[in-house]
Amino acid sequence: KGLAESGKSVVTTPGGYMVDITFPVQRLLDAYKNHGASMSVVSSLRMEIPAQVIANDYGLSVAPYMLMVRKTDLESFFNENKIPDGKTSFYAAYDTESASYKFNSMRAYFLDVLDRDEQGEVVGPEDMEFALVPVDITTETVETYNSTTVYVTRCQPYLTKPTMTQLDTEHAIVCFTYSSQKID
């Protein structure tokens, strides 16, 4: 409670604290447009948020998965039993080696916002404001001759055991990769 009151980004389960963030999609759009958008191709967009266990006497650790969902869609996401779609919601597993959550597949989100921007729609706060919520992810793995695909079949609030996670949103890393071609 003290960390949250001092302005730290704290997430707890069950219930308790969530974190709201503003994703800098407008800055990405501006950078993309200013560097030859007509001949550019978006390769990837990902975000990494450092996280750590909050020191405690009860052995509570970090949440195993984090959901990043648009704030406007938060309530309907769980009420309608949705799964992360890569456009308005994303999930990341806690990576113990880097002590962070890595949201790796955000390209479709950017392309959707870019498309709407190019059609003259205003990119507003609802496109940038997200909630970070601890979740439990259920997956199904499908193997074929030459590949393995993992499908998320369920995403629900994390209720398995209590967790306390401090997110270092001030040091989050957004990696936006695209290529441009200029014709002389």
Side-chain angles (χ1 to χ4, degrees), residues 19-26 68-74 87-90 109 113 123-132:
V19 171
D20 292 337
I21 62 169
T22 301
F23 190 80
V25 73
Q26 187 61 56
M68 179 177 154
V69 61
R70 284 194 327 191
K71 282 178 55 174
T72 57
D73 300 328
L74 179 61
K87 285 189 178 179
T88 61
S89 56
F90 317 88
Y109 157 71
V113 173
V123 176
E126 67 280 354
D127 295 307
M128 297 178 245
E129 295 175 356
F130 288 86
L132 296 172

Side-chain angles (χ1 to χ4, degrees), residues 52-109:
Q52 64 184 15
V53 176
I54 297 172
N56 64 84
D57 297 331
Y58 306 103
L60 303 180
S61 62
V62 298
Y65 294 96
M66 196 65 63
L67 173 71
M68 179 177 154
V69 61
R70 284 194 327 191
K71 282 178 55 174
T72 57
D73 300 328
L74 179 61
E75 189 174 322
S76 66
F77 184 89
F78 291 114
N79 288 344
E80 298 171 14
N81 293 317
K82 294 181 181 179
I83 57 172
D85 63 8
K87 285 189 178 179
T88 61
S89 56
F90 317 88
Y91 79 98
Y94 181 71
D95 183 336
T96 55
E97 285 186 29
S98 65
S100 65
Y101 293 97
K102 296 178 181 179
F103 298 91
N104 290 322
S105 301
M106 299 180 70
R107 180 179 179 267
Y109 157 71

Side-chain angles (χ1 to χ4, degrees), residues 23-32 34 110 128 176:
F23 190 80
V25 73
Q26 187 61 56
R27 285 179 51 197
L28 301 179
L29 285 170
D30 293 344
Y32 183 78
N34 291 334
F110 178 80
M128 297 178 245
F176 179 47

